[in-house]
Amino acid sequence: MCYCSDGRSNEHRKAANSAQPPLTVIQLPRRVADPFAILRRLLIATVSFLAVTTLLFVHVQVPSSSSSSSSSHSHRNYFTDKFPAFHDPQRWTREQAPPYLSKATFAASKLNDSRWDSDYEKLWKPPPNHGFLPCTKPTPNYTTYPESRGYLLVHTNGGLNQMRTGICDMVVVARIINATLVIPELDKKSFWQDNSNFSDIFDEEWFINSLANDVKIIKKLPKNLVHATKMVIQFKSWSTMDYYENEIASMWDFYKVIRASKTDSRLANNKLPSDIQKLRCRTCFEALRFSPRIEQMGKILVERMRSFGPYIALHLRYEKDMLAFSGCTHDLSTAEAEELRIIRERTAYWKRKHVDPIEERSKGLCPLTPKEVGIFLTALGYPSSTPIYIAAGEIYGGESHMAELRSRYPLLMSKEKLASIEELEPFSIHASQMAALDYIVSVESDVFVHSYPGNMARAVEGHRRFLSRGRSISPDRKALVHLFDKLANGKMTEGINLSNKIIDLHQKRQGLLRKRKGPISGTKGLDRFRSEEAFYSNPLPDCICQTPTPTANASHVVR
């Protein structure tokens, strides 16, 4: 017995059929073929065949030669090969990043599609290094440190980058005066009120071990010397070897512990032995690493910025402390200017109390405003789709002062936008640790731009020179203010004329490799040292050397 689709057996079907009346079969006449219908079908078939053939030809087009295929491939990848690519550009959106950022990742593909050779050459291509490489290895005459004569305690001062360079100089001073260096104490009483210890910001073990052949470093002063009489001294600014070897080293005859109360600019920029300069670079660029947790978070921020494509790191020095210190009030309200004046007058260690903001700006001594930075970047040719990382603390006035920059460049990012609250929580109440994150993203950026050449700007520019990173653009603020005032007065408009002027002004202000500049002619005393280019902002020729090549062009030798 078989089971049919309606569930009944064959016998039941036969009984049901016999009970029904017989059907009448009607035979329909045969249809005569229509010649027009046949022709119509042939035409439809022919058109369909031609359409399919055309589509196949377009999508499966074979190049005429292997050379043309190679050329097309190289043209397509020329720009993207210049920057690191990530296997999964949206991976970071799944690492506790703010959820709204996942909506912005479309910009990365749009930017990638718009890359052209001309854009790379004009906007992103790093300056040529002409065979220059880091050279920090000691000379054959360099020896391990002699027996220690005492202990050097160090109290650093200033913000993160001022403390960093001060620490590097104190390592060298310890070497010169035959001292055992105690891990430096960081500044906890300055404007930023950061209570971080050395090991919170820097990799303490790496620091000690990396310099083991240069100077002895210990974590704490021996217990038997904690209450010993100490020589507390503020070393003279921009001092030479003679000062430390004679005047300071002679103090070991009377004291076992010397305490340096300040560390900024205590060593000359120039006229120091080669091995001393190389030790400064080994300390700054190799030994003084950030702590592993800061390094890890910094790497995450860099990866997230790169998911948008090549990016600019903008050190926008428009925080309250900078404006109060400089006395610059351009584009600020009367109430804002008064608030900054009060801060400047109440900060005891700021010597200048009365500042003429108009005169300061006309001399190019004020930081560019966010609005001015926007005009500047547009004139250089950076499109509105350019991702920009804002390396800064809290911008004074917040969005009210950032609106015009944001209208030009919507992809303004920061550590607070790239990372979640949970990710930043360990760092957020420590200004120096947050500054360390900005430092990492800035050093690794494709283009670095600053609005004011302060300690961080100089430190980042020097580190990028040392590593042969991309462009580091230093705005000519004095010349720019003159142009910006013409715009404000209606004597000039934005366009090709302004763009050409600004591009011409900055042809040689993009981090080109060159020898460090000496003092300005005619300056004397401390002003002479102040006018010099800082060692850490340009460690050439001491720590960046040109590798000899048989075909080297004489014009490529940096002078």
Side-chain angles (χ1 to χ4, degrees):
M1 180 181 294
C2 72
Y3 288 94
C4 303
S5 60
D6 59 0
R8 296 181 296 175
S9 65
N10 290 337
E11 289 77 6
H12 286 117
R13 285 180 176 274
K14 289 178 182 177
N17 290 338
S18 62
Q20 294 177 2
L23 296 174
T24 303
V25 180
I26 302 175
Q27 189 170 359
L28 295 173
R30 294 182 64 182
R31 180 180 294 177
V32 180
D34 185 355
F36 293 104
I38 295 173
L39 181 60
R40 186 165 54 250
R41 289 175 183 173
L42 285 173
L43 287 172
I44 292 172
T46 302
V47 171
S48 300
F49 175 77
L50 289 173
V52 172
T53 303
T54 302
L55 286 172
L56 289 173
F57 177 76
V58 170
H59 289 280
V60 196
Q61 192 172 22
V62 181
S64 58
S65 67
S66 59
S67 63
S68 65
S69 175
S70 174
S71 173
S72 174
H73 177 76
S74 63
H75 175 79
R76 186 169 58 252
N77 292 328
Y78 178 76
F79 193 98
T80 55
D81 287 347
K82 308 300 174 186
F83 303 97
F86 296 91
H87 177 68
D88 180 4
Q90 295 190 13
R91 173 174 56 82
W92 64 268
T93 63
R94 298 189 291 273
E95 296 177 5
Q96 295 184 317
Y100 62 82
L101 269 180
S102 61
K103 300 176 183 179
T105 54
F106 75 92
S109 60
K110 291 179 73 173
L111 186 61
N112 292 339
D113 293 340
S114 66
R115 291 172 174 175
W116 299 98
D117 295 356
S118 59
D119 288 340
Y120 174 72
E121 293 285 338
K122 177 184 174 183
L123 304 175
W124 303 102
K125 186 178 181 180
N129 70 352
H130 301 310
F132 279 83
L133 296 171
C135 53
T136 61
K137 188 177 179 180
T139 67
N141 296 327
Y142 191 76
T143 60
T144 56
Y145 57 85
E147 183 179 353
S148 173
R149 297 187 62 189
Y151 296 88
L152 178 61
L153 293 176
V154 170
H155 182 275
T156 60
N157 61 290
L160 172 69
N161 293 286
Q162 193 171 343
M163 290 192 292
R164 283 184 78 251
T165 55
I167 290 168
C168 297
D169 282 353
M170 290 303 105
V171 168
V172 172
V173 169
R175 167 86 187 190
I176 295 172
I177 65 176
N178 297 338
T180 295
L181 177 66
V182 181
I183 285 290
E185 178 186 350
L186 303 188
D187 189 344
K188 299 176 182 178
K189 297 181 180 180
S190 64
F191 183 90
W192 299 274
Q193 298 290 306
D194 188 339
N195 63 357
S196 297
N197 294 315
F198 187 95
S199 59
D200 294 325
I201 299 178
F202 303 108
D203 190 332
E204 191 173 76
E205 296 299 329
W206 175 267
F207 178 71
I208 294 172
N209 295 330
S210 296
L211 297 169
N213 293 327
D214 303 294
V215 61
K216 184 177 180 180
I217 305 174
I218 60 175
K219 295 183 179 180
K220 293 182 179 180
L221 192 67
K223 290 183 179 179
N224 63 313
L225 292 175
V226 169
H227 300 292
T229 303
K230 304 173 181 64
M231 177 61 188
V232 180
I233 184 172
Q234 184 174 314
F235 297 143
K236 292 180 181 178
S237 300
W238 296 293
S239 295
T240 61
M241 292 281 291
D242 289 342
Y243 168 76
Y244 288 106
E245 286 180 327
N246 299 322
E247 190 170 335
I248 301 302
S250 64
M251 295 178 182
W252 293 133
D253 296 333
F254 309 98
Y255 303 95
K256 278 291 185 182
V257 181
I258 295 175
R259 179 181 176 85
S261 60
K262 279 194 173 184
T263 59
D264 59 317
S265 305
R266 303 298 140 175
L267 201 58
N269 291 309
N270 304 301
K271 296 182 180 180
L272 294 175
S274 175
D275 277 323
I276 290 298
Q277 299 288 56
K278 290 180 184 297
L279 176 55
R280 294 172 94 174
C281 290
R282 286 200 301 278
T283 306
C284 186
F285 304 128
E286 298 171 12
L288 202 56
R289 285 183 181 176
F290 291 119
S291 65
R293 63 192 188 91
I294 290 178
E295 290 275 359
Q296 182 182 8
M297 190 67 235
K299 182 180 178 181
I300 290 173
L301 294 176
V302 171
E303 289 180 348
R304 292 176 182 177
M305 276 306 300
R306 287 209 182 281
S307 71
F308 293 94
Y311 70 92
I312 293 174
L314 171 61
H315 182 43
L316 188 58
R317 201 68 173 93
Y318 207 72
E319 301 102 333
K320 182 182 290 187
D321 67 296
M322 179 69 235
L323 296 176
F325 173 78
S326 65
C328 297
T329 60
H330 182 69
D331 275 353
L332 297 181
S333 68
T334 303
E336 289 172 328
E338 178 63 14
E339 179 188 23
L340 297 176
R341 184 192 64 79
I342 293 172
I343 293 173
R344 184 170 63 257
E345 289 188 355
R346 291 179 178 176
T347 305
Y349 51 86
W350 288 351
K351 304 303 181 186
R352 296 179 69 210
K353 300 300 180 183
H354 303 288
V355 179
D356 183 341
I358 297 177
E359 183 181 356
E360 290 291 292
R361 184 170 179 269
S362 67
K363 292 179 179 179
L365 300 177
C366 288
L368 298 180
T369 68
K371 175 183 176 180
E372 291 170 338
V373 170
I375 298 172
F376 174 64
L377 292 177
T378 301
L380 288 178
Y382 289 97
S384 61
S385 58
T386 302
I388 298 178
Y389 179 88
I390 303 296
E394 183 179 352
I395 300 300
Y396 187 60
E399 189 59 29
S400 65
H401 290 304
M402 290 293 290
E404 292 203 44
L405 176 59
R406 191 180 303 281
S407 68
R408 290 174 182 265
Y409 294 98
L411 271 178
L412 288 183
M413 309 305 293
S414 62
K415 49 191 175 293
E416 291 82 3
K417 288 188 175 182
L418 291 171
S420 64
I421 295 175
E422 292 75 17
E423 286 176 308
L424 288 181
E425 186 176 8
F427 317 99
S428 58
I429 63 171
H430 303 285
S432 292
Q433 295 182 41
M434 293 288 271
L437 297 176
D438 284 341
Y439 184 92
I440 293 171
V441 182
S442 297
V443 169
E444 295 297 327
S445 65
D446 301 292
V447 172
F448 174 69
V449 181
H450 65 75
S451 64
Y452 184 84
N455 292 312
M456 177 169 170
R458 291 195 296 268
V460 169
E461 186 175 356
H463 207 151
R464 286 168 65 82
R465 270 200 176 103
F466 181 79
L467 297 174
S468 293
R469 286 293 190 265
R471 302 183 186 191
S472 297
I473 302 174
S474 178
D476 185 340
R477 288 167 295 136
K478 186 175 181 179
L480 287 174
V481 163
H482 179 67
L483 295 174
F484 294 153
D485 286 345
K486 282 189 173 183
L487 285 176
N489 297 330
K491 296 180 180 179
M492 181 182 283
T493 59
E494 289 192 60
I496 190 66
N497 185 34
L498 176 66
S499 182
N500 287 338
K501 286 181 180 294
I502 289 179
I503 289 173
D504 289 343
L505 280 170
H506 295 85
Q507 290 290 345
K508 295 183 179 181
R509 302 177 69 93
Q510 302 192 30
L512 298 172
L513 284 174
R514 53 168 175 75
K515 287 187 178 180
R516 190 168 56 255
K517 295 179 181 178
I520 295 175
S521 178
T523 54
K524 297 180 181 179
L526 291 180
D527 287 337
R528 183 173 176 81
F529 292 112
R530 289 191 184 98
S531 69
E532 294 177 335
E533 187 173 16
F535 174 83
Y536 294 106
S537 67
N538 187 6
L540 193 155
D542 312 276
C543 306
I544 306 175
C545 307
Q546 192 170 28
T547 54
T549 56
T551 58
N553 188 331
S555 65
H556 285 173
V557 177
V558 176
R559 302 186 186 282

